[in-house]
Amino acid sequence: MSKVAEFNALNDEKPREECGVFGIYRNDDDIDAVVEVCSGLYSLQHRGQLSAGICVNDNGNFKCLKNSGVISEAFRSNALEELPNGKIAVGHVKHSVRKFEETELISGQPLLMRYKYGSLAIAHNGDITNKAKLYEKLKESGSIFQSNSNAELISYIIAGERIEADTIEEAVLRTMDKLEGAYSMVIVSPSKLIAVRDPHGFRPLCLGKMKNSYMVSSESCAFDSLGAEFVRDIKPGEVLVIDESGVHSYTEHCGGKTSMCIFEHIYVARPDSVLDNQSVHMFRMNVGKVLAEKYPVEADIVCGIPDSGVSCAIGYAAASGIPYGIAIIKNKYLGRTLSMDSDSLRKRTLEIKINVLKPTVCGKRVVIIDDSIVRGGTMAHIVELLKKAGAKEVHVRVASPPFKNSCYYGTSLPESEKLVANRMTTDELRQKIGADSLEYISVEDLLGCADSSDVNFCCACFSGDYPIGKPEEFFDKYSTKIKG
Amino acid sequence: MSKVAEFNALNDEKPREECGVFGIYRNDDDIDAVVEVCSGLYSLQHRGQLSAGICVNDNGNFKCLKNSGVISEAFRSNALEELPNGKIAVGHVKHSVRKFEETELISGQPLLMRYKYGSLAIAHNGDITNKAKLYEKLKESGSIFQSNSNAELISYIIAGERIEADTIEEAVLRTMDKLEGAYSMVIVSPSKLIAVRDPHGFRPLCLGKMKNSYMVSSESCAFDSLGAEFVRDIKPGEVLVIDESGVHSYTEHCGGKTSMCIFEHIYVARPDSVLDNQSVHMFRMNVGKVLAEKYPVEADIVCGIPDSGVSCAIGYAAASGIPYGIAIIKNKYLGRTLSMDSDSLRKRTLEIKINVLKPTVCGKRVVIIDDSIVRGGTMAHIVELLKKAGAKEVHVRVASPPFKNSCYYGTSLPESEKLVANRMTTDELRQKIGADSLEYISVEDLLGCADSSDVNFCCACFSGDYPIGKPEEFFDKYSTKIKG
Amino acid sequence: MSKVAEFNALNDEKPREECGVFGIYRNDDDIDAVVEVCSGLYSLQHRGQLSAGICVNDNGNFKCLKNSGVISEAFRSNALEELPNGKIAVGHVKHSVRKFEETELISGQPLLMRYKYGSLAIAHNGDITNKAKLYEKLKESGSIFQSNSNAELISYIIAGERIEADTIEEAVLRTMDKLEGAYSMVIVSPSKLIAVRDPHGFRPLCLGKMKNSYMVSSESCAFDSLGAEFVRDIKPGEVLVIDESGVHSYTEHCGGKTSMCIFEHIYVARPDSVLDNQSVHMFRMNVGKVLAEKYPVEADIVCGIPDSGVSCAIGYAAASGIPYGIAIIKNKYLGRTLSMDSDSLRKRTLEIKINVLKPTVCGKRVVIIDDSIVRGGTMAHIVELLKKAGAKEVHVRVASPPFKNSCYYGTSLPESEKLVANRMTTDELRQKIGADSLEYISVEDLLGCADSSDVNFCCACFSGDYPIGKPEEFFDKYSTKIKG
Amino acid sequence: MSKVAEFNALNDEKPREECGVFGIYRNDDDIDAVVEVCSGLYSLQHRGQLSAGICVNDNGNFKCLKNSGVISEAFRSNALEELPNGKIAVGHVKHSVRKFEETELISGQPLLMRYKYGSLAIAHNGDITNKAKLYEKLKESGSIFQSNSNAELISYIIAGERIEADTIEEAVLRTMDKLEGAYSMVIVSPSKLIAVRDPHGFRPLCLGKMKNSYMVSSESCAFDSLGAEFVRDIKPGEVLVIDESGVHSYTEHCGGKTSMCIFEHIYVARPDSVLDNQSVHMFRMNVGKVLAEKYPVEADIVCGIPDSGVSCAIGYAAASGIPYGIAIIKNKYLGRTLSMDSDSLRKRTLEIKINVLKPTVCGKRVVIIDDSIVRGGTMAHIVELLKKAGAKEVHVRVASPPFKNSCYYGTSLPESEKLVANRMTTDELRQKIGADSLEYISVEDLLGCADSSDVNFCCACFSGDYPIGKPEEFFDKYSTKIKG
């Protein structure tokens, strides 16, 4: 256990600032908007488990239900029945590690607000990088903020632009001139459903269809789950407006160089999603193949750490000819906000969470693949368990390059001082965790894992190459507090 | 039961838009700010049972806890322990009949917000009459609203004024230039506790002291309960600022004609409170005396309907020489939001709520006193019960004049069409409810019941004489939706 | 505050082991059994606030819902809708001070069990005095106990007797041969509603009727609340069986000397109840009159401590000619299990709970009447408050004799060492609490307060004269643990 | 969707009557018994998600906490802190499909009871087959039952036997003479922890050690998770008593022919458990190998349905040389009691639960492996999804023989009429679900999949060969009601 402690393992949670958004514009009488949005959110639950919310526009009458916890906790018993089957609806699941926010400034989404032109609901995924400047300007003119959420900030800007603009879509387009950073969002106006993706396309967003009704989702897997049809990705920079007259696309902000977050493919997204024409599962398979080619090793078995390491391991096995096996069992009942309330229990979380399948590894040379290493504690614990289970050798392969830099576009990595790759060399880390070898995929190789060449990726957390720079100095200081 | 139905008795809830506010500026180490605010709220719980909240400023770090329900529900188990023992804190209890708000636009208080000069928490009691105009103006400049609460509206105006003003107190004073209507409020800034009462003093607010710490409360009864000392009422129009250097009073807005809501004395406030130097209990005793003098009757027993009719009945008994007795028992376990969730149970609420003490009334001529009659259903039910219990005669005396007009200053009366006094004459009503006589105190006599002549009262709901007029046309239309 | 501490005031809760039972045998289609039982329980809520439960027999299919807390907490949201509108139903509210039981051995009622002849539900009020012997015997034959409740013990005996008996009523009658102590209970068998009252009639129980349906209740006030008709008291020793063929009375155990708990009239019951032909309110009025006659004093005002002291005070005022007034305001939002969860808050409970109406007492000679004094802390606090509020003299009159002995028949008094009357003389106590005079009614006078001479009372807690003796030695030791 | 409906897919839940038990006898000061039991239960949560409970014996003082829901719901906030760190503790997780039990007769475990020799807590896994006879006999002698649980029944018998026996272990051994059926259980007496496994060893149970403290668990995976050492399986028929003097084994009931439930290996147990020296994962791997050998097919990819089909698929892939792949993604947030409370949502459960990874199967010939087919609906849905995703061929292989008979030893299968294998031939089913081939492993081959020959299996649900017969006629009729 001491080794674990050294790495401060307990806090070695994967970065998960991601959120999920899902919207519907209902044109069919036999579809229940609330049921579809709630079902869609279930398929996006992996993107956020801190709070869940649904907002329905029923003939201009907006009703919103949001609460902390996973969906099944947030919408207890018949809470959903209080929501009408409106024509337009949007839902949101949110993740955040910062518990204090709950009591400080509420920031569950969708954010519902009234402004000059009626009501507006916004569900957002991403992070705005020039928010310090935007906050400053808005505060200068007397604005007040009741939460730390980007959604509230964006709402303000839209409301301000709408005064000058002729339509809500024009206001949204003008808002995009002012926003820098990552934003995939769904907006419900009194008569429209609007889907917006930032020009870099940092976060995914796509369009689906069920009968004659339209749906918008963070990931395509939600459409599959509902039996809806995937239509296409929302383009980076695109504003898609769905109203009584159909679907309208505004592409003024399209065409620049894009930079989809590569960590979506590595870790965040569900493997059955296709983001910008790239299957997440195939991407991970390819990563496994590349790792096998670049960092081969004599071994008896290849195993992945669930959930995101598994696809890579299958790819590694296929490319290397070493059999694929299951070595790690993850307790699926633990990933929950409410669990582990007792202090003494919380200390045991990591131990309870992970177990090793002895028959798979005993006496074997094991290749173990994880999606990434943040602080190092989880991997140290796993290598220790594998050795204890009798593994003769443990070769660690990592499906991403070393984390060297923090993220300002929606993935909350710890400050760079806490990233283990900034604190020791790869070989020092290998020794520390007791692995027989340890190899990361390189940034270059990682980029080559996309099947299509359509997509450009943001790899700033690995390369330090920030496509739109870092936020201003002032803001950096407060970033842990005011992001979200 | 049919009689009850005629009057739509089930909805004959007394008007209760009132809220309660309680603040502390802590100068003693051995006082726990959160415990004192929570205890203070318990003493103000009668002013609002829909939601409760506390906001603490701990060295500029604001934390807020608020939830629906009475205090014991809102702050379950050890929720309060999450709040630090800060230097400044404010609490709020809220009442409202409009359940839908909960899912639509959240409006629990204190409202906590960040603006140009840091954080600010506001707890408000009252209602702003020019809010339509204020909303319009703010929306014109791009403001967004996340609730229907007056507190949010006022926050915006303070934030706007603060830009131009040198200090928060100057901003508050400037805000008062813009606000019309009723507002007693407590504001917590990064370093100050500010108590504000509108120039008419519609709602009460007073200052207390415990050791070296200062407290502000809607009613003085809270100070007694805590063992704190009552210092004085906040003057109508006064802004009281408490900070490290002591207590500072700003009286720029003082001196005009005041108009304290007389219904506070009749019904809203606790009898052990003293509002603007007037004991609530003594006021009610006096009302009873006047009723006895003006509307005497040969009777065997005088009884009050709890809780607010009891003081009047004692006064009536003392003045008339007719013995005082207890005729009505009220089930104290029913006045709760969560109870009666089953539809069929809800229909029985009125029956379960009230019972008659037969031995008191059987064979007797009974004078029964209630604080007011709104729709008439409750009184009809009570007269019926009294007769059934054997009362030979039932003489109804009402501690307020007939309700003829709605209120725009913080007490939510039904629209005037639903007020029984607008639908039938006093004698028609008497016949309908089966009373042998029915008399209301007159507005003039009511005004004479105050012991001191310091106070001017607003009696608009009885007289139609609105001290600051009614809100504009536009707003009236939406009043049921946007007030609160 | 120091004075309060001396008396250990915080624990000076009134004894409240009492429970309430309510049953229905439904012969009308348009009556909802669950709604009536729940409404009946609301009227009996003062008898127990720790847990509530309802059990319905729907054609032999028994369903039971029980939970901790007051009714509105125990039957949240639409929980009641899960219960069918059966023909027979029984409900129970329970009080107990011993929180630990909740986690140790569950003992909410009604107790529902299956035995040789189907299902049986029992709701019980009282305490069995020979339970040590009964437990021993049952255990000897291999019985197991899942709670500490008398209901479980009685169920066992009924089940055992039923083996030999021809009918359930015969089994109940045989069970009564074995039981010693206090028991008023309602039993639901597959086809019958059975009401049982012990031969001494320690606890009340009465029969009511609504249309063609029969009801049984601990107190008559519940019938009034429901608009049902009070038929008669169940006689001490009577077994009343209601089934398809009507109401049948078995009086084998009737006729002995009865001993109704006099504390029911002093404190436990609602004033609007009539127990064994004695109005509770009139009893209390009479106590007040006797106190006035026996312990007169020159004074300006007579006040009662709510709720049970008020009737006495009115009686005292009427007899003495001293005006009645309201001096004590009780915070009605505090008497709740869930409130005060924070330790520091709990310490303030007594302070928050009680406030003095200064204008009533300032400069006055005050007579203050409470129903009883247990440990002395509450009265010490009140006298202190009255003096602080300016009372010139405070004369305490107590509506019961000094508590000298514990109770074994259903009222849980503290062990006798903790009763203040055993620790100091009346004059010592008077000095300690700072009263100008202190007088208790005598046992003899108290007995004279009943209007009718039909009833014999148990006054053992005052006189030590136990009508059926104390429980055996062995059991005494465990009494704090195994009673309930 | 129509195909799904035909098979009544929504109710096609896998049989899950299983429970999990975990006990500790603590000999180390630095171990927290409650934390270890709770952690152990987390590792057994897959065996039951309906309720969870822990009972602690702290110097003979038993405290029990149990509630409905998964562990994180049942032990909310700091509920666990109310339990002392006793010397002996036992926990239980329970599964059941029958929701009505909750309101009818409570049957959460551990069952805590008092009897002649003090307190006893029992946590049980299995089902008693002669309970009709046992109930009858006990009822004949006046016993009462407050639940339907086997634990209560067994408690009675132990209590009865204990009267005659000299020790609790003797009583347990005598009880085993009377019990027929499946029972793995943990008993806590005032001074002992007792683990009991029925002579056939239907359900698993094993012994572990952490430092000097002993643990008992349904499955070995719990020891791994806690970092405890697996000592050995409790033998079929063995009674293991742990007390101050150490571990004592009673083997009077050992030595007969055993019959471990083979469905534990196929579906119930976690793959990282080792039951009776047989690794669950290796068993499943072997099943996969046999399926590959016996039912080969030309295909491009082999996939398993998570969670239990995955190990088989890996085995099939290894044996056949066809690559292993991931085709099915299961939504892990859905397997919860509280979710899906809205009716309309519930209808979508199956759809949301399962998604197909298109890139894995598109244009491919797919072998898909599930652990079993009960009603057929789930498999029909999956084949449909695979075809829709572009699979050229779908070959279904099932890791168990066709279900033909119900289970009376602890696994609640639907009545045999509802089992699809009794309603159509394999080829009819193949056609119906649209598979290109469909093959089950045979009973004989399945038995050959165990690595060791130590274990005998019960395969009655497949073969109809019940090792201890079916329960008596009478009981069968009530089985849906009285089992559990």
PDB file of all heavy atoms in Angstrom, chain C residues 64 103 114 116 140 145-147 152 156, chain D residues 64 103 114 116 140 145-146 152 156:
ATOM      1  N   CYS C  64     -48.476  -3.538   4.227  1.00  0.00           N
ATOM      2  CA  CYS C  64     -48.115  -2.683   5.348  1.00  0.00           C
ATOM      3  C   CYS C  64     -47.096  -1.651   4.912  1.00  0.00           C
ATOM      4  O   CYS C  64     -46.162  -1.949   4.170  1.00  0.00           O
ATOM      5  CB  CYS C  64     -47.526  -3.573   6.450  1.00  0.00           C
ATOM      6  SG  CYS C  64     -47.394  -2.730   8.032  1.00  0.00           S
ATOM      7  N   THR C 103     -31.826   1.575  15.034  1.00  0.00           N
ATOM      8  CA  THR C 103     -30.821   0.766  14.360  1.00  0.00           C
ATOM      9  C   THR C 103     -30.699  -0.619  14.969  1.00  0.00           C
ATOM     10  O   THR C 103     -30.164  -1.508  14.357  1.00  0.00           O
ATOM     11  CB  THR C 103     -29.439   1.445  14.406  1.00  0.00           C
ATOM     12  OG1 THR C 103     -29.157   1.755  15.765  1.00  0.00           O
ATOM     13  CG2 THR C 103     -29.421   2.712  13.577  1.00  0.00           C
ATOM     14  N   ARG C 114     -47.506 -13.574   9.815  1.00  0.00           N
ATOM     15  CA  ARG C 114     -48.250 -14.739   9.366  1.00  0.00           C
ATOM     16  C   ARG C 114     -48.119 -15.833  10.415  1.00  0.00           C
ATOM     17  O   ARG C 114     -47.063 -16.009  11.002  1.00  0.00           O
ATOM     18  CB  ARG C 114     -47.669 -15.259   8.045  1.00  0.00           C
ATOM     19  CG  ARG C 114     -48.160 -14.523   6.816  1.00  0.00           C
ATOM     20  CD  ARG C 114     -47.498 -15.089   5.570  1.00  0.00           C
ATOM     21  NE  ARG C 114     -46.057 -15.034   5.679  1.00  0.00           N
ATOM     22  CZ  ARG C 114     -45.250 -16.064   5.570  1.00  0.00           C
ATOM     23  NH1 ARG C 114     -45.726 -17.274   5.334  1.00  0.00           N
ATOM     24  NH2 ARG C 114     -43.932 -15.929   5.684  1.00  0.00           N
ATOM     25  N   LYS C 116     -50.353 -19.708  11.854  1.00  0.00           N
ATOM     26  CA  LYS C 116     -51.058 -20.880  11.340  1.00  0.00           C
ATOM     27  C   LYS C 116     -52.346 -20.505  10.606  1.00  0.00           C
ATOM     28  O   LYS C 116     -52.715 -21.140   9.626  1.00  0.00           O
ATOM     29  CB  LYS C 116     -51.375 -21.837  12.490  1.00  0.00           C
ATOM     30  CG  LYS C 116     -51.724 -23.229  11.978  1.00  0.00           C
ATOM     31  CD  LYS C 116     -52.162 -24.165  13.076  1.00  0.00           C
ATOM     32  CE  LYS C 116     -52.811 -25.402  12.443  1.00  0.00           C
ATOM     33  NZ  LYS C 116     -53.421 -26.265  13.451  1.00  0.00           N
ATOM     34  N   GLU C 140     -38.252 -20.163  26.132  1.00  0.00           N
ATOM     35  CA  GLU C 140     -38.039 -21.538  26.554  1.00  0.00           C
ATOM     36  C   GLU C 140     -38.524 -22.523  25.493  1.00  0.00           C
ATOM     37  O   GLU C 140     -37.968 -23.582  25.303  1.00  0.00           O
ATOM     38  CB  GLU C 140     -38.812 -21.748  27.882  1.00  0.00           C
ATOM     39  CG  GLU C 140     -38.241 -22.779  28.790  1.00  0.00           C
ATOM     40  CD  GLU C 140     -36.804 -22.436  29.159  1.00  0.00           C
ATOM     41  OE1 GLU C 140     -36.572 -21.409  29.830  1.00  0.00           O
ATOM     42  OE2 GLU C 140     -35.918 -23.205  28.758  1.00  0.00           O
ATOM     43  N   PHE C 145     -37.351 -13.252  18.786  1.00  0.00           N
ATOM     44  CA  PHE C 145     -37.929 -11.915  18.808  1.00  0.00           C
ATOM     45  C   PHE C 145     -37.110 -10.966  17.945  1.00  0.00           C
ATOM     46  O   PHE C 145     -35.898 -10.894  18.079  1.00  0.00           O
ATOM     47  CB  PHE C 145     -38.034 -11.407  20.248  1.00  0.00           C
ATOM     48  CG  PHE C 145     -39.002 -12.218  21.053  1.00  0.00           C
ATOM     49  CD1 PHE C 145     -38.590 -13.334  21.772  1.00  0.00           C
ATOM     50  CD2 PHE C 145     -40.355 -11.897  21.034  1.00  0.00           C
ATOM     51  CE1 PHE C 145     -39.498 -14.112  22.466  1.00  0.00           C
ATOM     52  CE2 PHE C 145     -41.279 -12.673  21.739  1.00  0.00           C
ATOM     53  CZ  PHE C 145     -40.835 -13.775  22.456  1.00  0.00           C
ATOM     54  N   GLN C 146     -37.803 -10.289  17.068  1.00  0.00           N
ATOM     55  CA  GLN C 146     -37.101  -9.407  16.143  1.00  0.00           C
ATOM     56  C   GLN C 146     -37.236  -7.941  16.540  1.00  0.00           C
ATOM     57  O   GLN C 146     -36.791  -7.052  15.829  1.00  0.00           O
ATOM     58  CB  GLN C 146     -37.620  -9.637  14.727  1.00  0.00           C
ATOM     59  CG  GLN C 146     -37.401 -11.087  14.278  1.00  0.00           C
ATOM     60  CD  GLN C 146     -37.931 -11.369  12.892  1.00  0.00           C
ATOM     61  OE1 GLN C 146     -37.657 -10.627  11.959  1.00  0.00           O
ATOM     62  NE2 GLN C 146     -38.693 -12.429  12.754  1.00  0.00           N
ATOM     63  N   SER C 147     -37.907  -7.687  17.650  1.00  0.00           N
ATOM     64  CA  SER C 147     -38.038  -6.308  18.116  1.00  0.00           C
ATOM     65  C   SER C 147     -38.257  -6.331  19.613  1.00  0.00           C
ATOM     66  O   SER C 147     -38.311  -7.398  20.223  1.00  0.00           O
ATOM     67  CB  SER C 147     -39.229  -5.628  17.445  1.00  0.00           C
ATOM     68  OG  SER C 147     -40.439  -6.052  18.046  1.00  0.00           O
ATOM     69  N   GLU C 152     -45.174  -7.458  19.332  1.00  0.00           N
ATOM     70  CA  GLU C 152     -44.620  -8.750  18.906  1.00  0.00           C
ATOM     71  C   GLU C 152     -44.876  -9.811  19.970  1.00  0.00           C
ATOM     72  O   GLU C 152     -45.266 -10.936  19.667  1.00  0.00           O
ATOM     73  CB  GLU C 152     -43.123  -8.604  18.641  1.00  0.00           C
ATOM     74  CG  GLU C 152     -42.514  -9.821  17.962  1.00  0.00           C
ATOM     75  CD  GLU C 152     -40.999  -9.696  17.833  1.00  0.00           C
ATOM     76  OE1 GLU C 152     -40.381  -8.978  18.655  1.00  0.00           O
ATOM     77  OE2 GLU C 152     -40.431 -10.324  16.919  1.00  0.00           O
ATOM     78  N   TYR C 156     -47.275 -13.254  19.574  1.00  0.00           N
ATOM     79  CA  TYR C 156     -46.856 -14.608  19.879  1.00  0.00           C
ATOM     80  C   TYR C 156     -47.887 -15.326  20.736  1.00  0.00           C
ATOM     81  O   TYR C 156     -48.221 -16.492  20.515  1.00  0.00           O
ATOM     82  CB  TYR C 156     -45.540 -14.585  20.647  1.00  0.00           C
ATOM     83  CG  TYR C 156     -44.378 -15.009  19.808  1.00  0.00           C
ATOM     84  CD1 TYR C 156     -43.388 -14.119  19.486  1.00  0.00           C
ATOM     85  CD2 TYR C 156     -44.299 -16.316  19.342  1.00  0.00           C
ATOM     86  CE1 TYR C 156     -42.313 -14.502  18.722  1.00  0.00           C
ATOM     87  CE2 TYR C 156     -43.227 -16.716  18.569  1.00  0.00           C
ATOM     88  CZ  TYR C 156     -42.226 -15.802  18.257  1.00  0.00           C
ATOM     89  OH  TYR C 156     -41.178 -16.192  17.493  1.00  0.00           O
TER      90      TYR C 156
ATOM     91  N   CYS D  64     -27.897  -3.096  14.025  1.00  0.00           N
ATOM     92  CA  CYS D  64     -28.139  -3.517  12.651  1.00  0.00           C
ATOM     93  C   CYS D  64     -28.598  -2.326  11.814  1.00  0.00           C
ATOM     94  O   CYS D  64     -29.417  -1.515  12.259  1.00  0.00           O
ATOM     95  CB  CYS D  64     -29.220  -4.598  12.656  1.00  0.00           C
ATOM     96  SG  CYS D  64     -29.360  -5.463  11.110  1.00  0.00           S
ATOM     97  N   THR D 103     -43.341  -3.680   0.668  1.00  0.00           N
ATOM     98  CA  THR D 103     -44.428  -3.138   1.473  1.00  0.00           C
ATOM     99  C   THR D 103     -45.163  -4.219   2.247  1.00  0.00           C
ATOM    100  O   THR D 103     -45.865  -3.943   3.184  1.00  0.00           O
ATOM    101  CB  THR D 103     -45.452  -2.374   0.606  1.00  0.00           C
ATOM    102  OG1 THR D 103     -45.848  -3.233  -0.465  1.00  0.00           O
ATOM    103  CG2 THR D 103     -44.862  -1.106   0.041  1.00  0.00           C
ATOM    104  N   ARG D 114     -33.538 -11.846  19.000  1.00  0.00           N
ATOM    105  CA  ARG D 114     -33.186 -12.268  20.342  1.00  0.00           C
ATOM    106  C   ARG D 114     -33.909 -13.582  20.643  1.00  0.00           C
ATOM    107  O   ARG D 114     -35.062 -13.758  20.249  1.00  0.00           O
ATOM    108  CB  ARG D 114     -33.630 -11.219  21.371  1.00  0.00           C
ATOM    109  CG  ARG D 114     -32.661 -10.066  21.540  1.00  0.00           C
ATOM    110  CD  ARG D 114     -33.183  -9.046  22.535  1.00  0.00           C
ATOM    111  NE  ARG D 114     -34.512  -8.602  22.146  1.00  0.00           N
ATOM    112  CZ  ARG D 114     -35.594  -8.686  22.891  1.00  0.00           C
ATOM    113  NH1 ARG D 114     -35.537  -9.209  24.096  1.00  0.00           N
ATOM    114  NH2 ARG D 114     -36.761  -8.246  22.451  1.00  0.00           N
ATOM    115  N   LYS D 116     -33.581 -17.298  23.496  1.00  0.00           N
ATOM    116  CA  LYS D 116     -33.260 -17.651  24.878  1.00  0.00           C
ATOM    117  C   LYS D 116     -31.812 -17.350  25.248  1.00  0.00           C
ATOM    118  O   LYS D 116     -31.517 -16.954  26.364  1.00  0.00           O
ATOM    119  CB  LYS D 116     -33.546 -19.143  25.110  1.00  0.00           C
ATOM    120  CG  LYS D 116     -33.621 -19.478  26.592  1.00  0.00           C
ATOM    121  CD  LYS D 116     -33.785 -20.972  26.855  1.00  0.00           C
ATOM    122  CE  LYS D 116     -33.529 -21.252  28.328  1.00  0.00           C
ATOM    123  NZ  LYS D 116     -33.477 -22.696  28.599  1.00  0.00           N
ATOM    124  N   GLU D 140     -47.627 -24.830  13.695  1.00  0.00           N
ATOM    125  CA  GLU D 140     -48.398 -25.729  14.552  1.00  0.00           C
ATOM    126  C   GLU D 140     -48.099 -25.475  16.020  1.00  0.00           C
ATOM    127  O   GLU D 140     -48.968 -25.600  16.871  1.00  0.00           O
ATOM    128  CB  GLU D 140     -48.031 -27.177  14.171  1.00  0.00           C
ATOM    129  CG  GLU D 140     -49.119 -28.179  14.403  1.00  0.00           C
ATOM    130  CD  GLU D 140     -50.373 -27.823  13.621  1.00  0.00           C
ATOM    131  OE1 GLU D 140     -50.355 -27.816  12.359  1.00  0.00           O
ATOM    132  OE2 GLU D 140     -51.370 -27.520  14.286  1.00  0.00           O
ATOM    133  N   PHE D 145     -44.467 -15.409  11.835  1.00  0.00           N
ATOM    134  CA  PHE D 145     -43.459 -15.035  10.847  1.00  0.00           C
ATOM    135  C   PHE D 145     -43.691 -13.615  10.363  1.00  0.00           C
ATOM    136  O   PHE D 145     -44.802 -13.266   9.999  1.00  0.00           O
ATOM    137  CB  PHE D 145     -43.481 -16.021   9.677  1.00  0.00           C
ATOM    138  CG  PHE D 145     -43.062 -17.394  10.100  1.00  0.00           C
ATOM    139  CD1 PHE D 145     -43.993 -18.326  10.556  1.00  0.00           C
ATOM    140  CD2 PHE D 145     -41.722 -17.727  10.117  1.00  0.00           C
ATOM    141  CE1 PHE D 145     -43.590 -19.572  11.004  1.00  0.00           C
ATOM    142  CE2 PHE D 145     -41.311 -18.970  10.560  1.00  0.00           C
ATOM    143  CZ  PHE D 145     -42.247 -19.910  10.996  1.00  0.00           C
ATOM    144  N   GLN D 146     -42.645 -12.849  10.419  1.00  0.00           N
ATOM    145  CA  GLN D 146     -42.770 -11.452  10.052  1.00  0.00           C
ATOM    146  C   GLN D 146     -42.193 -11.173   8.675  1.00  0.00           C
ATOM    147  O   GLN D 146     -42.143 -10.017   8.232  1.00  0.00           O
ATOM    148  CB  GLN D 146     -42.103 -10.569  11.115  1.00  0.00           C
ATOM    149  CG  GLN D 146     -42.733 -10.774  12.493  1.00  0.00           C
ATOM    150  CD  GLN D 146     -42.074  -9.942  13.573  1.00  0.00           C
ATOM    151  OE1 GLN D 146     -41.873  -8.751  13.426  1.00  0.00           O
ATOM    152  NE2 GLN D 146     -41.741 -10.586  14.680  1.00  0.00           N
ATOM    153  N   GLU D 152     -35.352 -16.056   8.405  1.00  0.00           N
ATOM    154  CA  GLU D 152     -36.231 -16.088   9.572  1.00  0.00           C
ATOM    155  C   GLU D 152     -36.603 -17.531   9.914  1.00  0.00           C
ATOM    156  O   GLU D 152     -36.600 -17.935  11.081  1.00  0.00           O
ATOM    157  CB  GLU D 152     -37.504 -15.282   9.286  1.00  0.00           C
ATOM    158  CG  GLU D 152     -38.354 -15.048  10.516  1.00  0.00           C
ATOM    159  CD  GLU D 152     -39.673 -14.355  10.172  1.00  0.00           C
ATOM    160  OE1 GLU D 152     -40.150 -14.490   9.030  1.00  0.00           O
ATOM    161  OE2 GLU D 152     -40.215 -13.680  11.063  1.00  0.00           O
ATOM    162  N   TYR D 156     -35.588 -19.609  13.451  1.00  0.00           N
ATOM    163  CA  TYR D 156     -36.521 -20.330  14.310  1.00  0.00           C
ATOM    164  C   TYR D 156     -36.013 -21.718  14.654  1.00  0.00           C
ATOM    165  O   TYR D 156     -36.089 -22.175  15.796  1.00  0.00           O
ATOM    166  CB  TYR D 156     -37.870 -20.468  13.593  1.00  0.00           C
ATOM    167  CG  TYR D 156     -38.915 -19.562  14.152  1.00  0.00           C
ATOM    168  CD1 TYR D 156     -39.421 -18.528  13.379  1.00  0.00           C
ATOM    169  CD2 TYR D 156     -39.389 -19.728  15.452  1.00  0.00           C
ATOM    170  CE1 TYR D 156     -40.391 -17.683  13.878  1.00  0.00           C
ATOM    171  CE2 TYR D 156     -40.355 -18.882  15.953  1.00  0.00           C
ATOM    172  CZ  TYR D 156     -40.861 -17.859  15.170  1.00  0.00           C
ATOM    173  OH  TYR D 156     -41.804 -17.030  15.673  1.00  0.00           O
TER     174      TYR D 156
END
